[in-house]
Amino acid sequence: MTDLPTYEVFALRYAMREAMRSDHFIGGDPHDGPMPMDYFLWLIRGGGRSIVVDSGFTAEVAARRKRTFLRDPIDALRLLGVEAETVRDVVLTHLHYDHVGNFHRFPVATFHLQEADLHFACGRHMRYGHLRHAFEVEDVVGIVRLNFAERVRLYTGQVDLAPGITLHPAPGHSAGLQFVRVNTVRGAVVLASDVTHFYENMEKGRPFPTCVSVADMLESHDRLRAAAPSPAHIVPGHDPLVMRRYPAVSAELEGIAVRLDVPPAA
């Protein structure tokens, strides 16, 4: 096997939600209590390129959905030395509101998405409130327009995005959800996004309530495990523990951005 390049990987926290344990597991939780949720976007940097994974949501959407908006996620990329205007590649793990908002802030980027997710978001199931509540219609329409403008790459399976960076379909939470595997100095880091919202969803086999298929969600947990050298290389999509287990990029960015290409705290 040829040597693969290694990348730096960052998680950038931009919003949070006060919630309870019963909000995060199908069937609730017998020991209910506070369990807040964080919202992230991720940055992969190396080889002269910066790849953004997901694009967060806007302040307007945060107000409407009653989320605590901590900072503009696209402006916050500048804290990591990245200008959105120059980003050439944005991976969309799926089209839920908290992962695709702000797409319009990347004027020259190509967007990378599993085709099944766009089909689902434009298809017959959107007539059901339970299935459409996680989508913002203007986000979906915006991605359709970008596809007409030849700025979207739609995939139907695993793809090599760049040397050392692969995209992996993992449906369940959404019909076309994908996670990102990145080669780093500590081995392959797996950005799970919403394949597992919290460490506990995957570790205890307790699916998150928002899902298209519980069976697919559980199998996608297995796909995460198979793609990672160890559970410590899997980074969940919404767990506040990420900010505590990984080191801050700098003292100034404590609580805002952490490095994922270094081992987590024991």
Side-chain angles (χ1 to χ4, degrees):
M1 178 181 294
T2 59
D3 291 334
L4 293 173
T6 58
Y7 299 87
E8 298 175 316
V9 188
F10 306 88
L12 180 62
R13 176 176 179 256
Y14 70 91
M16 60 88 61
R17 167 194 173 201
E18 297 292 351
M20 303 294 287
R21 289 185 58 81
S22 55
D23 295 322
H24 305 315
F25 306 102
I26 289 177
D29 191 275
H31 306 291
D32 206 9
M35 191 175 185
M37 172 182 282
D38 277 349
Y39 295 85
F40 301 98
L41 55 78
W42 300 272
L43 173 67
I44 301 168
R45 189 167 64 196
R49 65 194 299 176
S50 296
I51 298 171
V52 174
V53 179
D54 291 338
S55 54
F57 52 72
T58 65
E60 293 75 18
V61 168
R64 180 155 28 88
R65 290 182 178 260
K66 297 181 172 55
R67 305 302 190 247
T68 302
F69 197 65
L70 302 173
R71 58 193 56 86
D72 184 297
I74 310 307
D75 288 344
L77 282 170
R78 296 193 184 103
L79 301 173
L80 300 175
V82 173
E83 298 285 343
E85 295 79 8
T86 67
V87 171
R88 294 285 179 178
D89 294 285
V90 176
V91 174
L92 298 176
T93 61
H94 58 306
L95 293 177
H96 286 173
Y97 77 95
D98 51 326
H99 297 264
V100 66
N102 298 303
F103 65 89
H104 58 288
R105 305 277 296 279
F106 297 91
V108 300
T110 295
F111 294 83
H112 303 270
L113 177 70
Q114 290 291 323
E115 189 169 14
D117 219 59
L118 187 58
H119 284 183
F120 185 76
C122 296
R124 68 186 188 276
H125 296 104
M126 291 300 98
R127 65 191 294 262
Y128 302 112
H130 178 76
L131 295 176
R132 70 171 179 263
H133 81 278
F135 296 92
E136 290 283 329
V137 64
E138 294 305 322
D139 291 341
V140 176
V141 170
I143 296 302
V144 171
R145 291 184 183 279
L146 285 177
N147 191 36
F148 272 69
E150 301 180 9
R151 291 183 52 203
V152 180
R153 296 291 178 267
L154 295 171
Y155 305 115
T156 57
Q158 182 176 327
V159 64
D160 294 329
L161 183 65
I165 303 174
T166 50
L167 310 180
H168 302 254
H173 173 67
S174 73
L177 180 61
Q178 62 183 349
F179 64 84
V180 186
R181 187 177 190 267
V182 187
N183 195 49
T184 75
V185 293
R186 75 174 180 110
V189 169
V190 174
L191 301 177
S193 184
D194 290 4
V195 181
T196 185
H197 284 60
F198 295 85
Y199 287 102
E200 193 171 345
N201 292 121
M202 180 185 66
E203 290 172 353
K204 296 188 177 180
R206 302 183 63 196
F208 192 80
T210 301
C211 67
V212 173
S213 167
V214 174
D216 286 345
M217 183 179 285
L218 291 170
E219 287 189 337
S220 288
H221 289 171
D222 292 337
R223 295 185 186 188
L224 286 179
R225 296 184 185 96
S230 78
H233 289 78
I234 299 172
V235 182
H238 289 276
D239 202 322
L241 287 175
V242 170
M243 298 302 293
R244 299 200 286 272
R245 291 186 177 182
Y246 288 92
V249 173
S250 66
E252 293 76 19
L253 296 184
E254 186 75 39
I256 299 174
V258 294
R259 291 278 300 269
L260 304 174
D261 53 309
V262 297

